[in-house]
Amino acid sequence: MMVHTSLYFSARLPPLYTFDFVCIFIWRHRAEIERTDVVYNGRGNPMAPRNSGGVGRGHSGVYLEQGYARLSDCNVSENSLTGISAISHDNATLIVEGSELVANGTDQIEWPPFGTPSRTRCSERDNQMATTGRWKGRSSLVIAEVSSATTATSSEPRE
């Protein structure tokens, strides 16, 4: 499934499982994201090449252009470029709490540059970050997927 999810409003999102999207894109507004899985995003659309209107590879899991984003108890893992990117020097606030960022392409979190107004408003605490490894799903869709796969197989371990 290739969908470009854009948030152009103030939102408090319920637990989600976003995968194989372009990214979650936040621009000029406020988003509070809780207990959400943002995984496997930014891999492009193999069914529609970029020269025919398809989406190319190389996007973040969460991309904060401008505005406010707070991620709590989220799993942002195995995205093509970065896990989370906040790029505005002046108009971004990113707060990441109690979340897991594992095996994203180049960086787990791309912060605004040091010394910028945006960087002074950004914070993170109690997160687990790793360049490789396994992650724990947060949304009920991931839990249901793991549960059904576990019961459907024999005694062989899941990888």
Side-chain angles (χ1 to χ4, degrees):
M1 171 191 298
M2 288 303 286
V3 177
H4 180 13
T5 304
S6 298
L7 301 177
Y8 295 108
F9 51 88
S10 181
R12 182 176 204 122
L13 298 178
L16 299 170
Y17 179 51
T18 63
F19 67 99
D20 203 17
F21 279 41
V22 175
C23 66
I24 293 178
F25 180 79
I26 303 163
W27 184 67
R28 288 193 179 171
H29 293 285
R30 178 182 184 98
E32 295 190 15
I33 304 168
E34 299 176 342
R35 294 176 309 283
T36 293
D37 294 292
V38 181
V39 296
Y40 307 123
N41 295 294
R43 295 173 185 222
N45 185 346
M47 303 305 285
R50 189 173 187 138
N51 62 0
S52 67
V55 176
R57 293 180 50 84
H59 297 279
S60 306
V62 176
Y63 186 83
L64 174 61
E65 176 78 29
Q66 297 181 39
Y68 172 96
R70 181 177 155 269
L71 284 81
S72 298
D73 191 22
C74 290
N75 168 35
V76 183
S77 299
E78 297 192 49
N79 294 289
S80 178
L81 187 57
T82 60
I84 303 170
S85 292
I87 63 153
S88 174
H89 292 211
D90 300 314
N91 299 315
T93 301
L94 174 63
I95 300 167
V96 184
E97 306 170 312
S99 295
E100 193 171 12
L101 295 98
V102 177
N104 291 295
T106 56
D107 291 313
Q108 305 313 310
I109 301 178
E110 177 186 10
W111 298 102
F114 281 108
T116 62
S118 288
R119 182 60 180 252
T120 62
R121 290 189 302 271
C122 293
S123 66
E124 63 95 12
R125 69 180 173 96
D126 300 327
N127 298 305
Q128 295 183 18
M129 293 188 237
T131 56
T132 61
R134 293 179 176 255
W135 44 266
K136 182 183 87 176
R138 303 300 201 275
S139 72
S140 58
L141 287 174
V142 171
I143 293 167
E145 183 178 86
V146 170
S147 297
S148 65
T150 302
T151 56
T153 62
S154 62
S155 60
E156 294 194 25
R158 261 183 63 106
E159 289 197 34

